[in-house]
Every structure is written in C-alpha cells, then in structure tokens.
Amino acid sequence: MKKSKVVVPIMIISAVLATFILNQNDYTEVTIINKVFIIAGASILSSVIGYFLLGADVDKVDPKPANSKPNKKESGK
C-alpha cells in the first residue's frame, strides 16, 4: 500500500474535524479567513506527521527465510 493512499484521507478527516470544531458557538469571534488558515494548517500538519509515521511500504517487506522449520531442541544431548 502506498503512503499517498493513506495520507489523503488523513488530510480530509482532519480538515472535516477542524471545520466541525471551528463552527461551534465558542469560536464565533474567529474570522473566516483565520478559520481557513487553521483548517489548511491542520490538514497539512496531520498529513506530514502521518507520512513520516507510516514507515516503509508493505511492498518492500523482506522475503520469507528459506529455513522455515522451527528450531527444536534435541532432548537427551
């Protein structure tokens, strides 16, 4: 799975949540342009954090080792 398939939904979810929170009655004194800047900053910051925390792609996983038998201790030796 590519990182971009996950980063874009993170941006959308954070923008929707920031919009929901900023449209409450407690934030009526914040102007619309400041709300837009806060929402854009929240979505960009969350996507950057998500990009770095996702780690490597799953397509680059190491192959399964050839010796897949579990190590059994021999008893009596």
Side-chain angles (χ1 to χ4, degrees), residues 18-19 21-39:
T19 305
I21 290 172
L22 286 173
N23 284 333
Q24 293 177 354
N25 291 333
D26 297 338
Y27 302 106
T28 55
E29 66 274 0
V30 179
T31 62
I32 190 71
I33 191 70
N34 288 336
K35 287 182 182 181
V36 170
F37 287 144
I38 291 170
I39 292 167

Side-chain angles (χ1 to χ4, degrees):
M1 175 171 34
K2 303 260 183 192
K3 290 182 185 180
S4 62
K5 290 183 180 179
V6 179
V7 170
V8 174
I10 289 173
M11 289 179 71
I12 293 170
I13 290 171
S14 65
V16 168
L17 289 175
T19 305
F20 178 73
I21 290 172
L22 286 173
N23 284 333
Q24 293 177 354
N25 291 333
D26 297 338
Y27 302 106
T28 55
E29 66 274 0
V30 179
T31 62
I32 190 71
I33 191 70
N34 288 336
K35 287 182 182 181
V36 170
F37 287 144
I38 291 170
I39 292 167
S43 63
I44 291 171
L45 182 66
S46 65
S47 66
V48 168
I49 291 171
Y51 179 81
F52 287 115
L53 289 179
L54 283 175
D57 290 337
V58 292
D59 296 334
K60 297 178 182 177
V61 175
D62 293 336
K64 190 174 183 179
N67 185 7
S68 62
K69 296 179 183 178
N71 293 335
K72 294 181 182 179
K73 292 184 178 180
E74 295 181 27
S75 59
K77 284 190 175 182

